[in-house]
mmCIF file of all heavy atoms in Angstrom:
data_model
loop_
_atom_site.group_PDB
_atom_site.id
_atom_site.type_symbol
_atom_site.label_atom_id
_atom_site.label_comp_id
_atom_site.label_asym_id
_atom_site.label_seq_id
_atom_site.Cartn_x
_atom_site.Cartn_y
_atom_site.Cartn_z
ATOM 1 N N ALA A 1 168.855 -25.410 -117.369
ATOM 2 C CA ALA A 1 170.242 -25.139 -117.736
ATOM 3 C C ALA A 1 170.426 -25.243 -119.243
ATOM 4 O O ALA A 1 171.101 -24.403 -119.863
ATOM 5 C CB ALA A 1 171.177 -26.123 -117.029
ATOM 6 N N ALA A 2 169.817 -26.259 -119.850
ATOM 7 C CA ALA A 2 169.915 -26.441 -121.304
ATOM 8 C C ALA A 2 169.291 -25.264 -122.043
ATOM 9 O O ALA A 2 169.838 -24.781 -123.047
ATOM 10 C CB ALA A 2 169.240 -27.750 -121.708
ATOM 11 N N ASP A 3 168.143 -24.805 -121.543
ATOM 12 C CA ASP A 3 167.474 -23.659 -122.175
ATOM 13 C C ASP A 3 168.333 -22.412 -122.085
ATOM 14 O O ASP A 3 168.429 -21.629 -123.039
ATOM 15 C CB ASP A 3 166.116 -23.418 -121.505
ATOM 16 C CG ASP A 3 165.102 -24.509 -121.804
ATOM 17 O OD1 ASP A 3 165.319 -25.277 -122.769
ATOM 18 O OD2 ASP A 3 164.100 -24.610 -121.072
ATOM 19 N N MET A 4 168.955 -22.214 -120.932
ATOM 20 C CA MET A 4 169.822 -21.055 -120.767
ATOM 21 C C MET A 4 171.003 -21.126 -121.725
ATOM 22 O O MET A 4 171.346 -20.141 -122.383
ATOM 23 C CB MET A 4 170.318 -20.981 -119.315
ATOM 24 C CG MET A 4 171.168 -19.760 -118.997
ATOM 25 S SD MET A 4 172.915 -19.864 -119.514
ATOM 26 C CE MET A 4 173.500 -21.201 -118.466
ATOM 27 N N LEU A 5 171.619 -22.286 -121.811
ATOM 28 C CA LEU A 5 172.802 -22.446 -122.652
ATOM 29 C C LEU A 5 172.478 -22.268 -124.134
ATOM 30 O O LEU A 5 173.344 -21.870 -124.920
ATOM 31 C CB LEU A 5 173.419 -23.832 -122.416
ATOM 32 C CG LEU A 5 174.100 -24.004 -121.047
ATOM 33 C CD1 LEU A 5 174.356 -25.484 -120.768
ATOM 34 C CD2 LEU A 5 175.398 -23.220 -120.992
ATOM 35 N N ALA A 6 171.248 -22.543 -124.508
ATOM 36 C CA ALA A 6 170.831 -22.374 -125.908
ATOM 37 C C ALA A 6 170.653 -20.906 -126.268
ATOM 38 O O ALA A 6 170.560 -20.549 -127.443
ATOM 39 C CB ALA A 6 169.535 -23.144 -126.171
ATOM 40 N N SER A 7 170.624 -20.059 -125.259
ATOM 41 C CA SER A 7 170.495 -18.613 -125.476
ATOM 42 C C SER A 7 171.863 -17.963 -125.320
ATOM 43 O O SER A 7 172.880 -18.648 -125.214
ATOM 44 C CB SER A 7 169.511 -18.022 -124.461
ATOM 45 O OG SER A 7 170.103 -18.002 -123.160
ATOM 46 N N ASP A 8 171.867 -16.635 -125.290
ATOM 47 C CA ASP A 8 173.130 -15.935 -125.031
ATOM 48 C C ASP A 8 173.160 -15.338 -123.624
ATOM 49 O O ASP A 8 173.933 -14.434 -123.329
ATOM 50 C CB ASP A 8 173.365 -14.840 -126.074
ATOM 51 C CG ASP A 8 172.297 -13.736 -126.019
ATOM 52 O OD1 ASP A 8 171.319 -13.882 -125.251
ATOM 53 O OD2 ASP A 8 172.444 -12.740 -126.746
ATOM 54 N N ALA A 9 172.308 -15.875 -122.747
ATOM 55 C CA ALA A 9 172.221 -15.374 -121.377
ATOM 56 C C ALA A 9 173.566 -15.480 -120.664
ATOM 57 O O ALA A 9 174.325 -16.423 -120.877
ATOM 58 C CB ALA A 9 171.159 -16.151 -120.601
ATOM 59 N N TYR A 10 173.842 -14.502 -119.838
ATOM 60 C CA TYR A 10 175.037 -14.423 -118.994
ATOM 61 C C TYR A 10 176.326 -14.180 -119.773
ATOM 62 O O TYR A 10 177.406 -14.217 -119.196
ATOM 63 C CB TYR A 10 175.164 -15.672 -118.103
ATOM 64 C CG TYR A 10 173.990 -15.803 -117.165
ATOM 65 C CD1 TYR A 10 172.911 -16.629 -117.493
ATOM 66 C CD2 TYR A 10 173.927 -15.075 -115.979
ATOM 67 C CE1 TYR A 10 171.805 -16.735 -116.668
ATOM 68 C CE2 TYR A 10 172.828 -15.182 -115.135
ATOM 69 C CZ TYR A 10 171.767 -16.011 -115.493
ATOM 70 O OH TYR A 10 170.671 -16.105 -114.667
ATOM 71 N N THR A 11 176.180 -13.887 -121.059
ATOM 72 C CA THR A 11 177.362 -13.499 -121.829
ATOM 73 C C THR A 11 177.969 -12.218 -121.255
ATOM 74 O O THR A 11 179.191 -12.110 -121.070
ATOM 75 C CB THR A 11 177.001 -13.287 -123.303
ATOM 76 O OG1 THR A 11 176.648 -14.545 -123.891
ATOM 77 C CG2 THR A 11 178.155 -12.684 -124.081
ATOM 78 N N ALA A 12 177.109 -11.257 -120.961
ATOM 79 C CA ALA A 12 177.583 -9.976 -120.420
ATOM 80 C C ALA A 12 178.262 -10.161 -119.064
ATOM 81 O O ALA A 12 179.222 -9.447 -118.742
ATOM 82 C CB ALA A 12 176.424 -8.996 -120.298
ATOM 83 N N ASP A 13 177.782 -11.124 -118.274
ATOM 84 C CA ASP A 13 178.373 -11.363 -116.953
ATOM 85 C C ASP A 13 179.794 -11.912 -117.073
ATOM 86 O O ASP A 13 180.687 -11.514 -116.317
ATOM 87 C CB ASP A 13 177.497 -12.347 -116.169
ATOM 88 C CG ASP A 13 176.099 -11.807 -115.945
ATOM 89 O OD1 ASP A 13 175.261 -11.948 -116.855
ATOM 90 O OD2 ASP A 13 175.842 -11.243 -114.869
ATOM 91 N N VAL A 14 179.972 -12.837 -118.007
ATOM 92 C CA VAL A 14 181.310 -13.378 -118.233
ATOM 93 C C VAL A 14 182.238 -12.274 -118.710
ATOM 94 O O VAL A 14 183.375 -12.126 -118.236
ATOM 95 C CB VAL A 14 181.279 -14.525 -119.258
ATOM 96 C CG1 VAL A 14 182.705 -14.997 -119.581
ATOM 97 C CG2 VAL A 14 180.449 -15.696 -118.731
ATOM 98 N N ARG A 15 181.753 -11.472 -119.662
ATOM 99 C CA ARG A 15 182.575 -10.385 -120.193
ATOM 100 C C ARG A 15 182.917 -9.353 -119.116
ATOM 101 O O ARG A 15 184.016 -8.784 -119.115
ATOM 102 C CB ARG A 15 181.859 -9.709 -121.366
ATOM 103 C CG ARG A 15 181.620 -10.612 -122.558
ATOM 104 C CD ARG A 15 182.903 -11.211 -123.063
ATOM 105 N NE ARG A 15 182.701 -12.054 -124.231
ATOM 106 C CZ ARG A 15 183.383 -13.163 -124.465
ATOM 107 N NH1 ARG A 15 184.322 -13.563 -123.613
ATOM 108 N NH2 ARG A 15 183.154 -13.875 -125.555
ATOM 109 N N GLU A 16 181.997 -9.113 -118.203
ATOM 110 C CA GLU A 16 182.260 -8.157 -117.130
ATOM 111 C C GLU A 16 183.376 -8.664 -116.223
ATOM 112 O O GLU A 16 184.262 -7.895 -115.813
ATOM 113 C CB GLU A 16 180.994 -7.917 -116.310
ATOM 114 C CG GLU A 16 181.185 -7.016 -115.084
ATOM 115 C CD GLU A 16 181.754 -5.643 -115.430
ATOM 116 O OE1 GLU A 16 181.517 -5.136 -116.549
ATOM 117 O OE2 GLU A 16 182.459 -5.070 -114.563
ATOM 118 N N ASP A 17 183.356 -9.958 -115.897
ATOM 119 C CA ASP A 17 184.447 -10.533 -115.105
ATOM 120 C C ASP A 17 185.774 -10.363 -115.827
ATOM 121 O O ASP A 17 186.797 -10.016 -115.220
ATOM 122 C CB ASP A 17 184.199 -12.035 -114.871
ATOM 123 C CG ASP A 17 183.244 -12.295 -113.714
ATOM 124 O OD1 ASP A 17 182.810 -11.327 -113.063
ATOM 125 O OD2 ASP A 17 182.943 -13.467 -113.465
ATOM 126 N N GLU A 18 185.764 -10.630 -117.125
ATOM 127 C CA GLU A 18 186.996 -10.536 -117.906
ATOM 128 C C GLU A 18 187.474 -9.092 -118.039
ATOM 129 O O GLU A 18 188.683 -8.825 -117.985
ATOM 130 C CB GLU A 18 186.778 -11.185 -119.269
ATOM 131 C CG GLU A 18 186.553 -12.695 -119.159
ATOM 132 C CD GLU A 18 186.215 -13.364 -120.471
ATOM 133 O OE1 GLU A 18 185.742 -12.665 -121.404
ATOM 134 O OE2 GLU A 18 186.428 -14.580 -120.581
ATOM 135 N N ASN A 19 186.543 -8.175 -118.193
ATOM 136 C CA ASN A 19 186.909 -6.755 -118.253
ATOM 137 C C ASN A 19 187.502 -6.294 -116.928
ATOM 138 O O ASN A 19 188.475 -5.520 -116.897
ATOM 139 C CB ASN A 19 185.686 -5.904 -118.601
ATOM 140 C CG ASN A 19 185.248 -6.075 -120.036
ATOM 141 O OD1 ASN A 19 186.029 -6.474 -120.895
ATOM 142 N ND2 ASN A 19 183.981 -5.773 -120.311
ATOM 143 N N GLN A 20 186.922 -6.782 -115.846
ATOM 144 C CA GLN A 20 187.429 -6.403 -114.532
ATOM 145 C C GLN A 20 188.844 -6.951 -114.324
ATOM 146 O O GLN A 20 189.707 -6.265 -113.770
ATOM 147 C CB GLN A 20 186.499 -6.930 -113.434
ATOM 148 C CG GLN A 20 186.816 -6.371 -112.054
ATOM 149 C CD GLN A 20 185.807 -6.808 -111.002
ATOM 150 O OE1 GLN A 20 184.809 -7.458 -111.307
ATOM 151 N NE2 GLN A 20 186.065 -6.472 -109.760
ATOM 152 N N SER A 21 189.069 -8.176 -114.779
ATOM 153 C CA SER A 21 190.409 -8.749 -114.631
ATOM 154 C C SER A 21 191.423 -7.941 -115.428
ATOM 155 O O SER A 21 192.560 -7.746 -114.995
ATOM 156 C CB SER A 21 190.426 -10.214 -115.086
ATOM 157 O OG SER A 21 190.309 -10.333 -116.489
ATOM 158 N N SER A 22 191.014 -7.458 -116.592
ATOM 159 C CA SER A 22 191.894 -6.641 -117.416
ATOM 160 C C SER A 22 192.244 -5.331 -116.710
ATOM 161 O O SER A 22 193.397 -4.884 -116.709
ATOM 162 C CB SER A 22 191.239 -6.355 -118.772
ATOM 163 O OG SER A 22 192.072 -5.574 -119.586
ATOM 164 N N LYS A 23 191.258 -4.709 -116.092
ATOM 165 C CA LYS A 23 191.483 -3.460 -115.368
ATOM 166 C C LYS A 23 192.426 -3.662 -114.185
ATOM 167 O O LYS A 23 193.183 -2.753 -113.812
ATOM 168 C CB LYS A 23 190.153 -2.888 -114.886
ATOM 169 C CG LYS A 23 189.252 -2.371 -116.003
ATOM 170 C CD LYS A 23 187.919 -1.898 -115.455
ATOM 171 C CE LYS A 23 187.001 -1.425 -116.582
ATOM 172 N NZ LYS A 23 185.664 -1.013 -116.073
ATOM 173 N N LEU A 24 192.361 -4.858 -113.594
ATOM 174 C CA LEU A 24 193.218 -5.161 -112.453
ATOM 175 C C LEU A 24 194.610 -5.607 -112.882
ATOM 176 O O LEU A 24 195.489 -5.805 -112.038
ATOM 177 C CB LEU A 24 192.569 -6.257 -111.592
ATOM 178 C CG LEU A 24 191.311 -5.860 -110.824
ATOM 179 C CD1 LEU A 24 190.646 -7.088 -110.217
ATOM 180 C CD2 LEU A 24 191.642 -4.840 -109.741
ATOM 181 N N GLY A 25 194.790 -5.776 -114.188
ATOM 182 C CA GLY A 25 196.092 -6.184 -114.689
ATOM 183 C C GLY A 25 196.372 -7.669 -114.573
ATOM 184 O O GLY A 25 197.529 -8.093 -114.575
ATOM 185 N N ILE A 26 195.308 -8.460 -114.481
ATOM 186 C CA ILE A 26 195.473 -9.906 -114.356
ATOM 187 C C ILE A 26 195.727 -10.503 -115.737
ATOM 188 O O ILE A 26 194.911 -10.369 -116.636
ATOM 189 C CB ILE A 26 194.213 -10.544 -113.729
ATOM 190 C CG1 ILE A 26 193.979 -9.982 -112.331
ATOM 191 C CG2 ILE A 26 194.351 -12.066 -113.679
ATOM 192 C CD1 ILE A 26 192.652 -10.398 -111.712
ATOM 193 N N SER A 27 196.858 -11.168 -115.888
ATOM 194 C CA SER A 27 197.193 -11.771 -117.182
ATOM 195 C C SER A 27 197.332 -13.282 -117.096
ATOM 196 O O SER A 27 197.516 -13.949 -118.114
ATOM 197 C CB SER A 27 198.498 -11.171 -117.720
ATOM 198 O OG SER A 27 199.557 -11.378 -116.810
ATOM 199 N N GLY A 28 197.269 -13.815 -115.888
ATOM 200 C CA GLY A 28 197.371 -15.256 -115.697
ATOM 201 C C GLY A 28 196.535 -15.694 -114.520
ATOM 202 O O GLY A 28 196.228 -14.890 -113.624
#
C-alpha cells in the first residue's frame, strides 16, 4: 500500500469516478 501511494497509481481511476459523477449531474 505504501509503495502504491508513493506512485501516481489509480489517479486515473479516481478521476474517472469524478468525471462520471459530473456527467450524472452529481454536485453533492
Side-chain angles (χ1 to χ4, degrees):
D3 291 343
M4 184 280 295
L5 289 166
S7 72
D8 64 354
Y10 298 97
T11 292
D13 299 83
V14 175
R15 297 304 182 216
E16 175 57 29
D17 278 358
E18 294 175 338
N19 289 337
Q20 190 175 355
S21 71
S22 180
K23 291 177 182 177
L24 290 170
I26 299 172
S27 58

